[in-house]
Amino acid sequence: MARPRKPLLSRDRIVEAAGALVDAEGLEAVSTRRLAAALGVSGPSLYNHFRTKDAILEAVADAVSARVDLSMFDAVDGGDGGAVGDAVGADGAGRGEGGGGARRDWREALHAWAHSYRDALADHPNIVPVLARGPGRRPAGLRLADAVFGAMTEAGWPPAHATRIGALMRYFILGSAVASFARGFVDDEAAYDPVDYPHLGQAHLLAERRREVDEGAFETGLTALLDGLSLQYEALREPRT
């Protein structure tokens, strides 16, 4: 009887196995030895697909970025017509005008994207430190950056402001995914002596309400961030005297 054939080793199989290891045990658990054992191959065979461990982790990070929905940026404009600065063409027409299909306000697009991005990271928090380095040469990471920057400039933000918006959104979203605020408090009521901590009488309840607290905090922060950007946007639209 012929032996059953082993599945062919591929980049996708390596990334999948490495991602599972990162999710379960963290970045330090990834090694060629562990991956080779998980895949049923010899360690050197991995180097036919990836030159280094860092290259594998970069690929895992990019696979997570690829799960972020970018479709909300496909049809973005300034929301109420017109444009800012160099987003207005020589003929005076805003680039977001014209063409068929429904248009989406840039604030709505950023809001939907931020939640999609956070959801992807929430499923794979251990890979966040790699993502925090920036997109580098990662294709999905670069597509993400391109989509955000392109949508903001299409909406009328000057390029310099669009760059800052992409940066601040990344800081905010990645920061929210690093750790849970609520889980940072132990569920032992005795740990919060009212003499020492008079305002933390309910802190022991935070851990059991982690989802409510953390998601509420993210939404509060995101709303405040977008409200602040809206004020800047309107200020940029005001005619200069």
Side-chain angles (χ1 to χ4, degrees), residues 139-159:
L142 290 170
R143 284 193 295 271
L144 188 154
D146 180 74
V148 175
F149 179 81
M152 294 305 99
T153 54
E154 285 293 324
W157 284 98

Side-chain angles (χ1 to χ4, degrees), residues 18-196:
L21 198 54
V22 171
D23 288 344
E25 301 181 41
L27 296 172
E28 296 304 318
V30 178
S31 68
T32 55
R33 180 183 61 80
R34 292 286 303 275
L35 283 176
L39 292 164
V41 299
S42 63
S45 64
L46 298 177
Y47 294 110
N48 293 324
H49 301 275
F50 294 97
R51 296 179 62 182
T52 64
K53 169 186 168 179
D54 282 346
I56 295 173
L57 293 177
E58 289 284 320
V60 172
D62 211 41
V64 173
S65 294
R67 294 171 185 155
V68 181
D69 183 14
L70 301 176
S71 63
M72 66 286 294
F73 294 126
D74 289 343
V76 168
D77 65 16
D80 55 355
V84 178
D86 56 5
V88 178
D91 61 356
R95 292 189 307 184
E97 297 178 356
R103 310 296 292 177
R104 183 191 283 266
D105 182 80
W106 62 268
R107 305 163 189 82
E108 296 175 359
L110 281 179
H111 186 274
W113 169 70
H115 276 280
S116 177
Y117 199 175
R118 182 174 182 268
D119 288 346
L121 298 183
D123 293 333
H124 308 281
N126 290 338
I127 200 64
V128 170
V130 179
L131 288 165
R133 300 172 190 165
R137 297 177 182 272
R138 299 193 301 268
L142 290 170
R143 284 193 295 271
L144 188 154
D146 180 74
V148 175
F149 179 81
M152 294 305 99
T153 54
E154 285 293 324
W157 284 98
H161 286 74
T163 298
R164 294 170 199 155
I165 290 170
L168 72 89
M169 292 295 291
R170 191 168 70 88
Y171 297 151
F172 175 70
I173 297 166
L174 291 177
S176 74
V178 169
S180 162
F181 173 83
R183 281 182 176 169
F185 294 85
V186 299
D187 59 0
D188 179 6
E189 186 174 5
Y192 308 101
D193 190 319
V195 174
D196 296 322

Side-chain angles (χ1 to χ4, degrees), residues 3-9 13 36-37 39-42:
R3 294 181 180 178
R5 295 181 60 186
K6 292 183 179 179
L8 293 176
L9 188 62
R13 285 191 65 214
L39 292 164
V41 299
S42 63

